[in-house]
Amino acid sequence: MPTSVFPYNVQYDSGTVRRRFFMYQSFILVFTFACYTAYHLSRKPISVVKSVLHRDCSAIAAAKGIKLTNENKSFCSWKPFDEDNYNELLGSLEYAYLFAYAIGMLVSGHIAERTNLRYYLGCGMLLSGLTTALFGLGYYWDVHSMTYFILVQIAGGLVQATGWPSVVACMGNWFGKGRRGFIMGVWNSHTSTGNILGSILAGLFVNISWGLSFIVPGALIGFLGLMCLLFLVPYPSDVGLPSPYEYSIEIRTDDEQPSKPPPSASQSSSKSMKGKMSPSGKLATISESESGDFEPDDEASLETGSSLDRLPLVDDEEAGGSGKGLNSKELQAIGFCGALKIPGVIEYSMCLFFAKLVSYTFLYWLPNYIKHSNGLDPEKSAFLSTLFDLGGIAGGIAAGLLSDWTGKRAATCAGMLLLAAPMLFTYEKFGGTSLTHSIVLLFITGGFVNGPYALITTAVSADLGTACGSSARALATVTAIIDGAGSLGAAFGPLLTGLIVRTGWRNVFYMLIGADLAALSISLWVWLRAESVFNCRQLVSVTVYKMQCSGIRVVTVAALVTAVLLLSMARL
């Protein structure tokens, strides 16, 4: 295992150290962005191709002079999607993938904490490329077995779960607390970028040979997986650089005294580093800072409970009291149950469940809805659907900036979710009236729907993953738990849509509005608790507080889930 960090009493050229750290940070930012763009790029084709797996054959029959009967009315569709239950079959492809993804996410973070992220992410991308290509090869192999497509989707969901915990952990290893919302907001645009590129690539081939709509994205993610195996640097210590959570570079002149050795790891977990520049700025050493730049902000501290509730990853005995900080690779990885005990993880997981339900319903069904409401062909519908993702990029960046400026993650989520509900209603009402209305409303709706989703999966997850100490070893597990819960919502969204769409698209939007309001309720509860408007701790002892709040969480979540399901069933 590589050495952790610089010794405290060794001097380094300040310019070299800072340039190298900035160079590697930039590389990690760009490379992980490209990697997860490829993940989403390979998920998008199914939403585009479903419009040709089952299609209206009347125009094709008229052009070819074929008389349609009950027996051949779906002759141009791909079996087994040529039957009347095609919506259920298409929906089953989506939730087979998404449920497998959610299950894989529960164990993916646990594995990522204990393996080399370079190999784990690289192999996951290679296998993701293989499963994506296998779906497209079904076109050339003339496969008409539903079992084949279901198994490929399940395998794809399991291997794609390797991506998110790995890239977030890499980012957490290289970037500290400062401006996390903005950096993560810009970085998280890979989700929408991947959706846009996936829609464009799939749209180019969908009317020619829909198999290529899968094979080309599969080849791209496989190529990046190979590059990941060769070039990814998951930890600063791999290249002899310090961790942003444990050390920083202090610039001093030759005649200044070297800094004192850093304390044990448990002591350093409550402090972080801040660079200091001397007038001449010649040399650098590593020392402990007096600032708390990487500590969770005020709202995060309130939302995640007091420091007494947090789980230390190492103690003084494990650190050995040697005065030598530990590399994040050398710290004990947090367990699944330990991650669940971090205050705020469960609440944000449930909030993401509903937020991702809305987002992924658009991901999988939007091209089909545009084709229905605007009367466009599959290729144009795929291109128009990218406006939703462009709005998502703007919304994610805006959410990050706003949360950094206010210091209130939950309040930012609540505000955007509050605006998302009327925008969903407005888009359903007026989106199909004209192309201009559709373009404007898609962009705005995408911003409000994807903004909270982006904030929770990046900055909030990183805040909670580093709330229990200076280590990033909890990042992958916490991220996997939160995104895994969100993935369950992502699975239920398309599933419910496939069942409800038979009664009309308006009822689908009512279901989405109900899910958005459920996410809004949870985020408001977290925010109000953080502002001490609703704080059980003021009324009862700590023990009773924990019991009551746990009961409130269960009852609140159960009530919200029941409300959404009842709203959906009421519209059937």
Side-chain angles (χ1 to χ4, degrees), residues 341-356:
K341 293 177 182 178
I342 298 176
V345 170
I346 295 177
E347 291 90 337
Y348 277 113
S349 296
M350 296 311 302
C351 185
L352 187 62
F353 175 92
F354 293 107
K356 206 166 181 179

Side-chain angles (χ1 to χ4, degrees), residues 28 38 46-47 108 125 179 209 238 263 267 348 358 368 411 439 445 456 561 569:
I28 291 298
I46 185 65
S47 66
S108 180
M125 295 181 73
R179 300 178 67 192
S209 173
D238 289 341
Q267 293 172 330
Y348 277 113
V358 179
N368 207 24
I439 290 173
T445 304
I456 294 173
V561 173
M569 297 303 296

